Structure formats: structure tokens, C-alpha cells
Amino acid sequence: MSDFDLVLTGQVVRTDRVIENGYVAIRGGTVELVGSGEPPAARERQDFGKSYVLPGAVDAQVHSKSQLGQEDFIWSTRAAAAGGVTTVVDMPYDAGFLVCTGDRVRQKIKEAGEQTRVDFALYGTIDPADGPKHIAGMVEAGVSAFKFSTFNTDSKRFPRIPPQDLYACFTEIGRFGLAAGVHNENDEMVRAAMASVEASGVTDYRAHALSRPPVTETLAMAEVYELGAHSGCSTHVVHCSVGRGYDLCEAYRQQGFDTTVEACIHYLTLDEENDVARLGGKAKINPPVRPRAEVEALWRHLAAGHVTVVSTDHVSWSESRKADPVMLKNSSGVPGLEVLYPLLVKGLIERRLDIALAARLLAANPARLFRFGHRKGALERGRDADVVVMAHAPHRYNPEESGHNFVTWSPYAGIELPYRPVATYLRGKLVFNGKDVLAAPGTGAFVRPPALRPSLAKNESVAA
């Protein structure tokens, strides 16, 4: 009789090392044994040779429903499965539906549960008129973190929360030990810069970065980290495009505060002088993609351990909302779920960095950040058997050819990728075979933190 349901063999990537000639043994949807050498008996065995066997990614920042009639969870989680992302953390800014009460969280859980092909967790937020009064209800409903913005993208869908209200919310969130994530751009300075750019007559690709200079980002980061320091709340910046921001996060962390920071994959891949100049609106993202010198600064911070997680900030706007020749008129954001893992692996290999960084930045650290590290994020005994196998198979990325994306455009189209996912397992079940997504809508399960207690923030804090 076989001891295990499934054994996978290959180069097994843990958070601290690569196990050559390794194996992962799975029983009942969880990892039961990880080792090297001769694998144990199992009802099924898949030998992946020299391919990397990695923990499935937890994408910390996904917008599945930002545009009505566009992408939904059926499509976002299809791209996720094809890219080795086994858990998506979805943002609360859905078109026409701000996820800002316990009832709205429960409604989204129900709707997403009927559509998702991989597992999912949720951010909650607030209506500015409500302040912190619904935070406890959203915690009870199961959110994994809260999201706020210091910039008013949209007064209804994506509102600015002023500092006094952020402080009140942080104080309440701190009671439950969850993290407060913040979109970091100073509203007043951005609006002044935008007015200056518009008055100058610059309308091409340069307009976007000019309208959001680096100081608008770091000023907001200093504000939110200081609010976190005074309120006792774990404070997370959900995207940072400039090296100075990582210096700020590390300085607060060295002072003993639970500050974390996220590097979206576009900030590690694209640059202003080459990619934004070429792509225009299809590379418009808030905060902006910066010059190549900042890209390399972010990689130095990543190598030094100053980046907590890497994410996509995935959103699939219709192409019509990304093609205006007047740069500032385009919607901000890009799709990326299908290539998160391949792009990070490419960058690590090119810079001769340890592949185990991918397991930390895409799996272990985000799982801890969202307080479900007891269940997700690593190839460890007792964790969900969420696995991606990355094989050496050089190719140029073509989002239209794969068929797994709602939109056929991507700022990453044409990039040469050395590795690609050839298998994705969700809780021990094959959901992507290298060509087809096998998981039907409704396969995914809702993931939430365990029962919360005042000491949770200390016990589950994230080391960079």
C-alpha cells in the first residue's frame, strides 16, 4: 500500500536552500514530507528532473473586478493558475462595490467562491464617511488585511483617507493584529505636479512620471510609517518604485516597528526610458515606472533583504482605456498574473541571486503578511500542497497565444523568459498542466487568518 497520494521530484526550492534530487510527498492535500534521494512510495509520482519545484505564489495585490464587464475571478484566477499563483489576495476597490463592511466582505466571498480556480484571500477597506466603525465586522468576516490610499484616485471606488482617519483605523486594526496596507502617494503634491505638467503642454509618456515625482511617494511612506509607529499597527506599503522608500522601511524596521514594503514586478522589470517610452499608456502605473537606475536600485534592495514581497498589482483594463496618446488620460495598471513567477526567476538568474528568494518573496513572506503562514507559503510539513514546477524552456512571452488572459495585451509581451510553469498544484491537485488550466470555476477556497488575538501581530510579523 502506498504511503502518499502524490510524490513530486526535482530541484525542490525551500525558503533557505535548494534540495538537489529532492522530493515533496503529499497526502490529503497537504505536504507531509520533503527530502532528498530515493522518494517514498506513492499512488502517483511525477518526476520533473532538473526543473525547480517551488511553493505556489501568493500574489499580494490583485484587482479582479476593477472594470464592469471586464475581467472577473474566472479569468484572473485562470491566469493565476497558468502562472503558478495558487492564492490571490484581492483588493477591495471593485467597480461599483467598495468592500467596506462585513456584509460586503461576505457577499464578495460568496461571489468569488463560485468563480475562483485557485484559493483567494481578501483585503477590506473603509468608506471615508464611516471611519473605523466597520473594521471589527470585516475582521469577523475574514479579511486578511486592510487597504487605504493617501491619494484620491476615485472618491467612490478608490478614495483618499486623510491622516487623522488613517490613525483611527490603524489603532483599531492594531487591536486585531492585522496589517494596514497603503497606496503611497501624497495627494496634494501629485495634484500640484499634475497641474504643472498640464500647463507645460507635455502630453507624451514623460507626463506621467513628471506628474508623480519620487518625493510624492516617499513623503506618503514617511507619513504612513509614522502613523503605524504611533498606533502600534503593522504598516505595509503596497508598492514602492524608488530605492529611497526601501531605505525608509528598513529604518523603521530597525527601530523595532513592524513595517513592510512591496515591490511590484513591473518596477523590477520595466523602465521609463525604454519601456514606457515604447508602450505609452500600456505602461502607465501608479506610482510610475521609473528610470533604469531606480530599477537596479530596487534589485540591490531585494538582494539585501529589504523587499518584503513581490506582487503584480494585476488589473486587466480594456485596451481602449490604455491607448490614449495623451498619457495622463489612460487608466493606471497592468495585467501580470501569468508571468509573475517567470519574470522574477528571470531577474534572479540574470543577477546570479539565490532562487530561494523566489520562495520567500512570492510565497512565505506574503503568507505571513496576510496571517495565514500556518497554512500557505512554503513546502513544509502540514502546509497546503500548493506547488509550481518551473522548467527551463526559453520563450518569448505572448499573452494572446496562451489563451489564459482576459485581455491580449501586456507590457511584458515579447520579453524572453528562460523558465516557464509546466505544472501547478493546488492543495495537491493538478490545476495547470503546462498548457491547459484544468481547474473549473469554484475550485478555489477562501483563505482567512486563524482566530485573532492581541498577540498575533507580534507572533506573525514579517521579516524582510
Side-chain angles (χ1 to χ4, degrees), residues 57-62 91 123 182 184 217 221 225 236-247 249 259-270 285-290 294-314 334 336 339-341 343-345 348 353 357-358 360-363 365-366 369-370 412 462 464:
V58 176
D59 191 339
Q61 191 168 181
V62 175
M91 287 295 179
Y123 265 103
V182 184
N184 49 307
E217 216 178 311
M221 292 178 73
Y225 284 148
H236 179 65
V237 167
V238 301
H239 35 45
C240 181
S241 69
V242 293
R244 172 64 181 157
Y246 295 86
D247 291 330
C249 180
T259 54
T260 50
V261 63
E262 196 165 320
C264 300
I265 194 65
H266 39 261
Y267 300 131
L268 296 168
T269 304
L270 308 175
I285 302 160
N286 293 338
V289 169
R290 304 294 182 182
E294 286 287 7
V295 177
E296 296 308 321
L298 265 58
W299 275 103
R300 290 193 292 274
H301 277 289
L302 187 150
H306 300 162
V307 176
T308 313
V309 300
V310 175
S311 69
T312 61
D313 200 0
H314 170 98
V334 298
V339 284
L340 172 61
Y341 239 127
L343 286 169
L344 184 61
V345 168
L348 293 172
L353 296 173
L357 281 166
R360 295 201 292 274
L361 295 167
L362 295 183
N365 285 359
L369 174 66
F370 295 108
Y412 312 115
V462 181

Side-chain angles (χ1 to χ4, degrees), residues 91-145:
M91 287 295 179
Y93 303 116
D94 299 346
F97 189 80
L98 191 67
V99 183
C100 58
T101 68
D103 285 343
R104 290 196 169 200
V105 171
R106 283 183 281 271
Q107 182 176 335
K108 186 165 181 177
I109 293 168
K110 180 179 183 299
E111 293 173 354
E114 295 169 351
Q115 292 189 335
T116 51
R117 303 173 193 265
V118 301
D119 290 350
F120 68 100
L122 296 179
Y123 265 103
T125 189
I126 67 162
D127 184 314
D130 292 335
K133 75 177 183 179
H134 293 299
I135 284 173
M138 287 184 277
V139 172
E140 183 181 4
V143 297
S144 287

Side-chain angles (χ1 to χ4, degrees), residues 166-181:
L166 282 178
Y167 182 71
C169 289
F170 284 14
T171 301
E172 177 71 356
I173 293 165
R175 292 179 53 233
F176 299 100
L178 296 182

